[in-house]
Amino acid sequence: MKNSPSEIGIDHMALYVPGPYLSLDDLAAARGVDPNKYSVGIGIRETAIATPAEDVVVLAANAGQRVLKEAGVSPDDVGLLVVGTESAEDKSKPTATHVHELLDIGKSCRVYDVVHACAGATYGVLNAIDWLHNSTHKYALVIASDIARYGKNEAGEPTQGAGAVAMLLSRQPRLIGLNEISTFSKNVYDFWKPLDQKYPLVDGIYSARCYAEAAEACFAGQDLQENAAYIYHTPYPKLVQQTHMQVARMIAGDVDIKNHFKDKVGPSLQLAARIGNIYTGSMWLALMSFLEANLSEPAEDSDGCYLFSYGSGCGAALLRGRLSPAWKEQVGLFGAEATLDARTRLAFDEYETLMDIYENPESISADDLAATTVNGSFRYLGTEKNKRRYGAA
Ligand code: CAA
């Protein structure tokens, strides 16, 4: 099932992750937990840790710069810029306004954030698809950018992560065409972040049940194709595995569920196991992971994918993706595994120091902030008169 040339979707994608990571074996040792609980029970081995010079603006701008450069697209051709995030630094001023300036996108561009927990960027992508149907502009840029922090010693600590996925959408995408095929919404308190809280409040087991209920509702009644890839929002890989065991039962015919998971889901979890949860970017990271892992597979074997997006609170959407004929050329530029291989492993006390700085940002001196290196071209410079400043790294 190939993309028809007129189908709107993603022309190119790019990932940005911070340079440092924490090995969950080190976290397990420090917390007195069996390391298999994290690597097998949850399915994460490493988590990306943002430096004090990185916030969601910095992650988004660095991913956005990369996607434009690799796609060979001028910022002047972007008419819509949407940032999906649930870890913004401001409750009013959009993250996207800073990204707009850093990427030097023209003034005749619509610029805004979408907040709906981890589904924000997916709703941004759906907005962009609708917008491209009517706009004369060539491209929409949607960036999912988040830093997932739960706090020291919290149950969610091993599922932390940080990163941004930038997606350039167009009418004749070189990567993948997308359509929404079902949606689900329900008012629940499974994961939420009151305005006065630094960390989210989570009803962990209930949140997994809400996720599973939304998945079942979205996949039910669909004519599910066995040979497609199944890409899920991935707060942690084990939840995806558990959910797919239920979803795979809905595929017609005699499906070997264990092997189906291994072939049609497993490769999508490789990057999440080394980055952790990146909230709005998590499902899109899973897509990059699946495509990069399948670069050597024959293109004609592909039947595209299903993409299940979940945002706590809650809202969910199921999208059908159809690969474009030239998808391998775009995926060949991802270099995601290589980016992760080049990171620096933090000592456990360095990780705790970074958590302390997040809790007390004033505790880092201007000199130490300036000396902090980042993985890309843009960085956070500091706050003056309550205004956050960004610039070249
Ligand atoms: N070896 C192997 N497996 C082990 C083990 C060991 N030594 N010790 C424990 N395990 C297994 C457990 O059996 C369990 O597996 P099952 O689910 O199959 O039972 C798994 O490891 C986790 O163990 P616990 O249930 O004891 O885990 P926990 O209480 O420490 O918390 C969590 C796990 C609830 C996921 C927690 O990390 C959390 O709250 N995370 C944040 C919330 C979250 O991610 N929710 C997901 C849905 S909401 C959403 O999708 C939005 C979002 O992104 C946040």
Side-chain angles (χ1 to χ4, degrees), residues 34 36-37 40-42 118 150 155-156 158-159 190-191 202 204-205 207-208 211 233 235-236 238-239 242 277 279 310 312:
D34 179 348
N36 287 333
K37 173 172 176 180
V40 179
I42 284 174
C118 301
Y150 291 91
T159 69
D190 59 333
F191 168 107
V202 192
I205 302 298
S207 72
Y211 175 104
H233 168 56
Y236 52 97
K238 181 71 170 292
L239 180 61
Q242 290 164 333
N277 189 0
Y279 290 161
Y310 177 78
S312 288

Side-chain angles (χ1 to χ4, degrees), residues 62-356:
N62 283 315
Q65 185 191 50
R66 181 170 174 175
V67 84
L68 290 173
K69 191 170 167 211
E70 287 180 356
V73 167
S74 161
D76 292 336
D77 286 332
V78 175
L80 176 70
L81 170 63
V82 185
V83 173
T85 183
E86 58 181 299
S87 43
E89 296 290 341
D90 197 289
K91 299 181 186 88
S92 174
K93 183 173 167 52
T95 297
T97 55
H98 291 291
V99 176
H100 177 237
E101 182 181 47
L102 290 168
L103 297 185
D104 204 18
I105 294 172
K107 298 249 177 347
S108 64
C109 178
R110 194 185 293 170
V111 175
Y112 60 91
D113 287 1
V114 175
V115 179
H116 185 144
C118 301
T122 301
Y123 292 140
V125 164
L126 296 175
N127 281 180
I129 290 171
D130 291 345
W131 177 86
L132 278 162
H133 273 295
N134 299 312
S135 173
T136 54
H137 282 94
K138 286 192 192 154
Y139 295 101
L141 178 57
V142 180
I143 311 178
S145 182
D146 271 306
I147 301 176
R149 292 184 180 99
Y150 291 91
K152 292 185 215 167
N153 284 302
E154 294 296 323
E157 190 179 23
T159 69
Q160 295 181 135
V165 176
M167 294 165 275
L168 195 63
L169 284 97
S170 71
R171 284 180 207 87
Q172 296 195 325
R174 287 172 287 181
L175 183 59
I176 189 167
L178 296 170
N179 285 305
E180 184 184 28
I181 56 174
S182 63
T183 196
F184 176 84
S185 300
K186 183 178 174 182
N187 184 17
V188 294
Y189 267 108
D190 59 333
F191 168 107
W192 67 109
K193 194 172 175 187
L195 291 178
D196 60 348
Q197 302 279 328
K198 209 138 180 104
Y199 297 110
L201 305 176
V202 192
D203 191 343
I205 302 298
Y206 179 57
S207 72
R209 280 215 312 271
C210 293
Y211 175 104
E213 181 188 351
E216 202 169 325
C218 282
F219 281 100
Q222 302 295 332
D223 179 21
L224 298 177
Q225 300 302 305
E226 184 177 350
N227 203 30
Y230 286 68
I231 309 292
Y232 294 85
H233 168 56
T234 308
Y236 52 97
K238 181 71 170 292
L239 180 61
V240 171
Q241 186 179 359
Q242 290 164 333
T243 305
H244 191 67
M245 294 300 136
Q246 302 308 318
V247 169
R249 291 179 209 283
M250 300 183 206
I251 302 170
D254 192 12
V255 177
D256 176 341
I257 293 182
K258 217 170 145 196
N259 275 328
H260 194 261
F261 170 78
K262 185 168 144 284
D263 296 342
K264 299 299 177 187
V265 182
S268 74
L269 306 176
Q270 290 174 10
L271 296 177
R274 300 188 63 191
I275 295 177
N277 189 0
I278 56 167
Y279 290 161
T280 51
S282 151
M283 181 187 76
W284 303 105
L285 180 72
L287 175 63
M288 292 182 82
S289 185
F290 191 90
L291 295 178
E292 190 168 271
N294 278 278
L295 250 186
S296 56
E297 295 297 313
E300 57 278 9
D301 281 1
S302 165
D303 194 7
C305 59
Y306 296 93
L307 296 135
F308 171 70
S309 181
Y310 177 78
S312 288
C314 71
L318 184 63
L319 279 57
R320 187 73 167 101
R322 294 187 171 83
L323 292 169
S324 302
W327 68 273
K328 289 194 171 198
E329 284 167 38
Q330 303 313 118
V331 175
L333 300 172
F334 286 178
E337 288 282 4
T339 302
L340 300 186
D341 290 345
R343 296 180 302 172
T344 308
R345 181 172 174 165
L346 288 173
F348 187 73
D349 62 333
E350 292 174 313
Y351 156 71
E352 292 221 303
T353 300
L354 290 176
M355 291 295 278
D356 291 341

